[in-house]
């Protein structure tokens, strides 16, 4: 018995579906990576999945495989619409099987939720009916009947390609308001032919697709669907109808599992559930999975912020699902299943739900990664630890996330590393960021990186700043400067005549705040929104004035949209596209960034500055002329986010 089996008997037990036996119940569910090369599985995507397979995942479901050219909107989509995908599937399947991991291929059509056309033109978004997309501002076009029938055939042909590629199963993407769900939903399916109208007619597209796919893949391969247990929209699929759909399909016998998520791309509030961020509940979709499990005999997969083995075991032990999607848990720590099996729970790097480097990089058009583990998505470069050619003495100045990552990586490569932190506690700005409302989990990055340093053997000295004298005395080979940043206080007119405080003072409880507050937000990130939320919850009247087109413009969209909803409920008044100009007693002067007109806010008791940060360049200046190797990482190079700091820590430490 492996050490973890006693504590996690359900999670670590095998599970059979048709001819496939999963070695455990841990699944990397289908998710976009933007690691696709040439519309196929290339070395980057193969290396990405192989890392999770090596790390002990039971099953990997590939990202949405596009079955038809009418659903292509990016060069980074996996396209299963022609046979050229098959050899790349085969290489992937062989590699994952070699690591003991099963692999299913997800098949998908985006339908009305098409963000853009393939070459950048505005999309012709085909769906069951011509319904507009609220998120993508497309009008939508109804599929003619021949196209509906052709598409069912394209799903079946694509499924056969999955089989010929050597994968173990097929998953139909019927969730979150995309094409198949659009056929199911009365909100998007207004057809008057046999594919619309009654419950049975709306179900017809999926039912026929399942039948055709099963006929093409035979009886050996697994076939499942991914479905939202509740779309959580005004006119989409509600819980009762989804239960009826699953019950009806379950009786049919062609399906082997239901992978249950929630939400829909159709509405901003419901889309948050596609990748639920920090601030949402752990396992928030599990009740939907449990409800479906009570109605079907097939296997049920629960997903949605199941970020730790204990939570996953609990879901299984309670009988709420048979398998668990732990996708971001393995984006953060590809070795998570193996560590759990080995009983090394304290070594697991836990996903904090920040969405910053995984789904947000995807939304911005870049490959998936992790704020805490930037090796993710960069496996072809950083997939293994490369021992240093010559052992060097390395000093890292600064114990924020970037410094800790640099120290851990350098030490793991064989260097002799000492990290100095001027404060008593490690963590840098992460310790402040975790004080924002709903963001306590952010502090998890500190413990995770601290553990990495311990495992790598880094010497840590706290309450000790690094200066030139220390460097001259210790004479290391390399200094990595990770001294971070301080609050930026802009020079604005009238600041001496008004009550002006900054964000850090508010978060650290060092400011007296009046009843009527204006938050002047230059960075348009978590801080301005979080300060506004905190002060509104404290009972203040809050205006949030930001330089962005919308508050939170620079942060991951699901995080931002969740926060915008909260601010709206709290009655925070948001003023977009304004720069701070001056303050005079109880009046704050803003300037509209497009018109140049003044925007005057009166009756302000306290002005809270969220105006970004200044790099801490003192050590850099002090080391001018020092003959050794010096590297700057993170905010002391330029104030940005923990993502860049940690990545630069990895890059620098990998090169010394
Ligand atoms: Fe989790 Fe954040 Fe890493 Fe995404 S970037 S996997 S949410 S820790």
């Amino acid at each position: 018995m492996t050490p973890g089996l006693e504590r996690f008997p359900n999670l670590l037990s095998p599970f059979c579906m048709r001819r496939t036996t999963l070695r455990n119940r841990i699944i990397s569910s289908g998710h976009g990576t933007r690691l696709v090369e040439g519309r196929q599985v290339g070395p980057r995507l193969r290396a990405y999945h192989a890392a999770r397979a090596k790390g002990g995942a039971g099953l990997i479901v590939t990202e949405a495989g596009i079955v038809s050219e009418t659903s292509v909107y990016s060069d980074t989509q996996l396209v299963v619409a022609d046979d050229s995908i098959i050899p790349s599937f085969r290489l992937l399947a062989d590699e994952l099987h070699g690591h003991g991991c099963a692999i299913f291929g997800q098949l998908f059509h985006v339908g009305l939720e098409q963000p853009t056309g393939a070459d950048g033109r505005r999309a012709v978004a085909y769906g069951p009916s011509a319904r507009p997309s609220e998120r993508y501002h497309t009008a939508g076009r109804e599929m003619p009947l021949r196209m509906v029938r052709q598409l069912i055939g394209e799903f079946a042909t694509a499924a056969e390609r999955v089989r010929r590629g050597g994968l173990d199963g097929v998953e139909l993407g019927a969730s979150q308001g995309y094409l198949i769900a659009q056929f199911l939903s009365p909100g998007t399916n207004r057809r008057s032919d046999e594919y619309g109208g009654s419950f049975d007619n709306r179900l017809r597209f999926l039912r026929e697709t399942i039948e055709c796919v099963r006929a093409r893949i035979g009886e050996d391969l697994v076939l499942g669907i991914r479905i939202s247990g509740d779309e959580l929209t005004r006119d989409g699929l509600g819980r009762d109808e989804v239960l009826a759909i699953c019950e009806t399909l379950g009786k049919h016998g062609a399906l082997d599992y239901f992978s249950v998520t929630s939400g829909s791309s159709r509405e901003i509030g419901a889309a948050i559930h596609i990748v639920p961020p920090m601030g949402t509940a752990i396992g928030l979709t599990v009740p939907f999975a449990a409800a479906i499990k009570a109605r079907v005999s097939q296997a049920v997969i629960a997903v949605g912020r199941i970020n730790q083995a204990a939570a996953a075991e609990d879901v299984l032990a309670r009988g709420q699902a048979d398998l668990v999607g732990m996708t971001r848990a393995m984006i953060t720590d590809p070795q998570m299943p193996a560590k759990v099996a080995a009983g090394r729970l304290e070594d697991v790097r836990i996903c904090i739900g920040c969405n910053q480097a995984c789904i947000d990089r995807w939304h911005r058009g870049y490959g998936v990664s992790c704020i805490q583990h930037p090796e993710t998505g960069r496996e072809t470069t950083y997939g293994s630890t490369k021992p240093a050619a010559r052992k060097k003495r390395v000093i890292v100045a600064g114990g924020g996330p970037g410094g800790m990552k640099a120290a851990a990586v350098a030490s793991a490569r064989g260097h002799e590393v000492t990290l100095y932190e001027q404060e008593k506690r490690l963590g840098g700005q992460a310790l402040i960021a975790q004080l924002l409302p709903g963001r306590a989990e952010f502090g998890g990055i500190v413990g995770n990186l601290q553990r990495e340093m311990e495992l790598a053997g880094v010497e840590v000295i706290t309450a000790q700043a690094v200066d030139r004298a220390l460097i001259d005395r210790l004479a290391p080979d390399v200094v990595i400067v990770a001294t971070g940043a301080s609050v930026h206080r802009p020079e604005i007119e009238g600041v001496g005549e008004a009550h002006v405080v900054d964000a850090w003072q508010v978060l650290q409880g060092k400011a007296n705040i009046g009843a009527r507050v204006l938050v002047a937000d230059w960075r348009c990130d978590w801080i301005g929104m979080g300060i506004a939320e905190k002060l509104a919850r404290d009972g203040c009247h809050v205006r949030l004035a930001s330089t962005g087109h919308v508050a939170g413009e620079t942060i991951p969209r699901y995080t931002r949209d969740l926060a915008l909803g909260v601010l709206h409920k709290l009655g925070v008044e948001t003023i977009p596209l304004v720069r701070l100009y001056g303050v005079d007693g109880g009046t704050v002067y803003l300037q509209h960034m497009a018109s140049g007109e003044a925007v005057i806010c009166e009756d302000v008791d306290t002005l809270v500055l969220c105006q970004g940060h200044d790099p801490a360049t003192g050590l850099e200046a002090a080391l001018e002329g020092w003959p050794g190797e010096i590297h700057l990482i993170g905010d002391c190079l330029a104030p940005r986010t923990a993502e860049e700091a940690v990545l630069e820590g990895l890059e620098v430490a990998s090169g010394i």
Side-chain angles (χ1 to χ4, degrees), residues 328-329 331-332 350-359 369-373:
R328 279 179 289 174
I331 291 176
T332 310
I350 297 162
C351 169
I352 57 175
C354 68
N355 278 8
Q356 223 171 310
C358 49
I359 184 64
S369 189
C370 177
I371 187 175
Q372 305 187 75
H373 187 64

Side-chain angles (χ1 to χ4, degrees), residues 479-482 616-617 620 630-634 636-637 640 648 652:
V479 177
I480 298 176
V481 182
T617 54
E620 178 192 1
I630 303 174
H631 300 277
L632 269 58
I633 62 169
C636 70
L637 182 60
R640 288 156 293 158
E648 287 164 7
V652 161

Side-chain angles (χ1 to χ4, degrees), residues 331-393:
I331 291 176
T332 310
D333 192 341
Q335 291 284 323
M336 180 273 290
K339 288 177 182 174
V340 170
R344 291 172 49 210
L345 279 193
E346 67 282 6
D347 296 347
V348 174
R349 192 182 305 111
I350 297 162
C351 169
I352 57 175
C354 68
N355 278 8
Q356 223 171 310
C358 49
I359 184 64
D360 190 52
R361 278 181 60 86
W362 187 90
H363 279 142
R364 289 185 285 124
Y366 299 98
V368 67
S369 189
C370 177
I371 187 175
Q372 305 187 75
H373 187 64
E375 291 90 336
T376 287
R378 300 180 176 94
E379 285 81 5
T380 51
T381 307
Y382 298 114
S384 58
T385 302
K386 295 187 179 58
R390 179 173 73 82
K391 183 174 184 171
K392 295 180 182 174
R393 290 172 54 237

